[in-house]
Amino acid sequence: MVSKNTFQMKNLCAFLPFQRCSLILIFLVLWSCKKTEDSQTPLNEDITKAHLLLGNPSNAQNNVSMPENYLLERPQFVLSYSKSRAIPNWVSWHLSKAWIGSSDRQDDFRPDENLPADWYAVRTSHYTGSGFDRGHNCPSADRTATVADNSATFLMTNIMPQSPDHNQGVWARLEEYCRTQVERGNELYIICGSYGTGGTGSNGFASTISEGRIAVPANIWKVIVILPEGKDDLNRITSSTRVIAVNIPNRQGVRNDSWGDYRLSVDDLERRTGLDLLSKIPQSVQSSLESKVDQGSTQ
Ligand code: MN
Ligand code: MN
């Protein structure tokens, strides 16, 4: 009996340091789980609402009976998707300092699991060898506050076949200009989209890629509303708020062009796309803003 008790005590003593270790391990595991949770931006209603603060340009709805104008909302941006074109019609997002951080570019292009399961889900390989870039609508560099935010921009529902010259040249400089505006103390409401069919990539002209499954848009456009950082944004928009609209053909040869040369009025863009842009802005201010072509600096 005595020897058994001694054995148990000895065993317990030997076990204690390990127990301490496992407690520390459990804490570490719990802490890392918490950290992972923190890095996921929650689908906060106010955040999502901000992306469509200026309106839903096509009245898109998250309804399978509307496959050509299918609304997908996520914390990082909101979009209207076309099932037959397999690209977004438009993507809308709010850009402010809060969205910019130091997360690395994730480059994890992947199918969007939020599409109805029986729809064709575009994969990154469907662009391989097509002569077109996997062009972001909401840019990777606009979403760097967390890894999850950046990763969301690589969902294929945010991607369109974009000519390499367009993507890497003129368009990249426009995207950069938007972030420069944030550095200068502004917040932006941005809508990016595409329309028409047929563009030129590095292999020449194409109407579709991936055996006809993905449309190549003819034109890529963007509307940018710039406000000094502040609150109650919709009510601060006046007829002197800066609104930039651009529309650039999806073709090679535009790499060194200035995006400023492609500016047009929002009215003009609405005629071309059939969308109602900035629809939440009170009508008189909206009409005034939409009739003008931006003349501001492009640097
Ligand atoms: Mn791009
Ligand atoms: Mn409008």
Side-chain angles (χ1 to χ4, degrees), residues 1-298:
M1 284 300 276
V2 170
S3 78
K4 198 182 171 196
N5 273 345
T6 311
F7 176 76
Q8 278 177 341
M9 277 301 283
K10 248 173 141 181
N11 238 8
L12 190 64
C13 289
F15 189 67
L16 262 175
F18 176 68
Q19 237 181 355
R20 242 176 253 142
C21 271
S22 34
L23 267 179
I24 290 167
L25 264 173
I26 288 166
F27 274 120
L28 277 173
V29 167
L30 285 175
W31 181 73
S32 69
C33 285
K34 186 184 171 293
K35 233 189 128 196
T36 313
E37 245 168 59
D38 286 348
S39 70
Q40 309 273 339
T41 312
L43 190 58
N44 177 313
E45 208 180 310
D46 289 340
I47 293 175
T48 312
K49 241 188 230 163
H51 299 319
L52 287 186
L53 186 78
L54 307 189
N56 177 333
S58 56
N59 270 315
Q61 287 171 41
N62 188 250
N63 182 338
V64 288
S65 70
M66 293 174 55
E68 295 312 312
N69 188 21
Y70 186 75
L71 186 74
L72 278 176
E73 291 178 287
R74 38 177 47 95
Q76 297 82 8
F77 49 83
V78 174
L79 63 87
S80 160
Y81 187 76
S82 162
K83 183 190 179 201
S84 69
R85 288 165 66 80
I87 55 174
N89 299 306
W90 52 259
V91 180
S92 191
W93 68 100
H94 180 223
L95 181 61
S96 65
K97 268 197 204 86
W99 289 102
I100 312 276
S102 54
S103 291
D104 288 333
R105 184 180 165 97
Q106 297 300 303
D107 262 323
D108 52 347
F109 290 102
R110 62 199 184 283
D112 191 336
E113 288 174 359
N114 284 3
L115 285 179
D118 59 333
W119 289 16
Y120 166 69
V122 177
R123 299 182 165 276
T124 180
S125 59
H126 297 152
Y127 279 66
T128 307
S130 69
F132 290 92
D133 284 358
R134 296 160 183 87
H136 281 76
N137 281 253
C138 178
S140 161
D142 279 14
R143 292 292 182 258
T144 55
T146 69
V147 167
D149 286 348
N150 186 261
S151 181
T153 69
F154 290 90
L155 289 162
M156 294 305 287
T157 49
N158 181 44
I159 303 297
M160 62 192 156
Q162 190 173 8
S163 104
D165 280 358
H166 194 293
N167 179 40
Q168 299 163 26
V170 62
W171 205 248
R173 287 191 298 277
L174 175 58
E175 291 173 342
E176 193 60 50
Y177 181 78
C178 290
R179 290 186 292 273
T180 303
Q181 287 299 319
V182 174
E183 282 163 26
R184 293 174 185 166
N186 296 306
E187 59 180 302
L188 283 61
Y189 288 87
I190 305 175
I191 314 154
C192 175
S194 59
Y195 68 92
T197 301
T200 58
S202 55
N203 302 337
F205 181 85
S207 301
T208 60
I209 62 170
S210 189
E211 294 156 353
R213 290 177 294 192
I214 306 169
V216 175
N219 283 78
I220 300 171
W221 56 268
K222 186 169 272 185
V223 172
I224 304 150
V225 177
I226 305 176
L227 289 168
E229 247 195 68
K231 294 200 185 309
D232 198 15
D233 295 343
L234 196 53
N235 290 315
R236 291 191 293 135
I237 298 174
T238 68
S239 54
S240 48
T241 296
R242 187 171 181 200
V243 178
I244 303 171
V246 300
N247 187 31
I248 307 181
N250 188 23
R251 58 173 172 78
Q252 294 290 72
V254 297
R255 183 176 293 263
N256 299 317
D257 290 359
S258 165
W259 57 261
D261 294 342
Y262 291 95
R263 284 177 284 190
L264 74 175
S265 70
V266 174
D267 278 341
D268 198 350
L269 191 60
E270 286 181 331
R271 274 191 294 272
R272 292 166 194 243
T273 59
L275 298 172
D276 185 3
L277 297 154
L278 314 179
S279 61
K280 287 279 171 68
I281 298 176
Q283 198 54 60
S284 63
V285 177
Q286 189 183 150
S287 303
S288 159
L289 288 176
E290 293 185 345
S291 66
K292 290 181 283 191
V293 178
D294 176 62
Q295 304 293 329
S297 166
T298 59

